[in-house]
Amino acid sequence: WLDEKGINLHRKAREIAPDTAIIGVGGSTFTPFGTPSEFPEFIIPPFHLYVTEMASIGVMSYSPHQKTHAGVVNALYCAPNKIFEYGKYGKPMIANDVPALKYIFKEYHCGEVVDYPITPNAISTILEKLFSNYDMYSKGALEYYQSVDLIKIVKGILASI
């Protein structure tokens, strides 16, 4: 969603906090933040969580990579694992406007959605808000992570079969 608008999140982040770097984790060639050199090679799970633990803010971008109905639905209503990874370490989050994430961010105060149209000023405003209220968003991220009891959910599913 950033690449489509020609937005370089690295530059905007550095304008707000000069010592800020954005590091993407994954083996994909999709680099929405503009600086491929800061996208290391694929890190074998669970070792990518070391990078997550050191992060200040978690960035999630969900957009359809396929121009199909299934591709659009998957991007809008996915069950993103990143929210749990960032939540586990109390990392405030920023994401594009995905209904499920928007609801969770509002309910738990753990992140902010960049509304469309996505502009450098909109991203800058959200980053400033996250850094200015870091403790609140961090606490919300941890509360969200702790609110989901996966073992109980799986047991409930198995019991219903």
Side-chain angles (χ1 to χ4, degrees):
W1 48 275
L2 298 173
D3 195 37
E4 291 172 7
K5 302 291 182 186
I7 296 170
N8 186 319
L9 189 56
H10 288 273
R11 188 182 74 242
K12 292 309 294 180
R14 287 190 182 114
E15 286 174 9
I16 296 167
D19 59 343
T20 299
I22 297 174
I23 300 175
V25 178
S28 173
T29 57
F30 176 66
T31 56
F33 307 117
T35 308
S37 64
E38 293 183 346
F39 284 77
E41 293 298 317
F42 181 75
I43 300 173
I44 299 170
F47 299 108
H48 70 289
L49 295 175
Y50 290 121
V51 175
T52 304
E53 187 176 14
M54 292 185 290
S56 297
I57 290 180
V59 178
M60 293 179 279
S61 172
Y62 294 94
S63 60
H65 293 293
Q66 305 167 12
K67 303 289 185 201
T68 64
H69 180 72
V72 171
V73 170
N74 183 54
L76 288 176
Y77 300 102
C78 60
N81 61 320
K82 289 290 174 213
I83 197 168
F84 293 104
E85 292 174 1
Y86 296 141
K88 176 180 176 60
Y89 295 107
K91 305 303 175 183
M93 297 163 246
I94 182 173
N96 57 317
D97 192 356
V98 174
L101 295 176
K102 191 173 195 172
Y103 172 80
I104 292 167
F105 289 177
K106 185 176 180 181
E107 185 73 19
Y108 287 91
H109 306 287
C110 59
E112 291 289 335
V113 166
V114 180
D115 291 317
Y116 294 102
I118 298 170
T119 64
N121 286 340
I123 292 170
S124 182
T125 299
I126 296 296
L127 289 173
E128 288 173 1
K129 188 174 182 180
L130 291 174
F131 281 118
S132 295
N133 300 289
Y134 193 87
D135 290 342
M136 178 193 75
Y137 287 107
S138 179
K139 181 181 175 193
L142 285 168
E143 286 176 2
Y144 174 69
Y145 178 77
Q146 293 166 354
S147 75
V148 180
D149 186 345
L150 293 177
I151 293 173
K152 182 178 177 180
I153 291 169
V154 170
K155 283 182 179 180
I157 292 168
L158 293 174
S160 69
I161 297 178

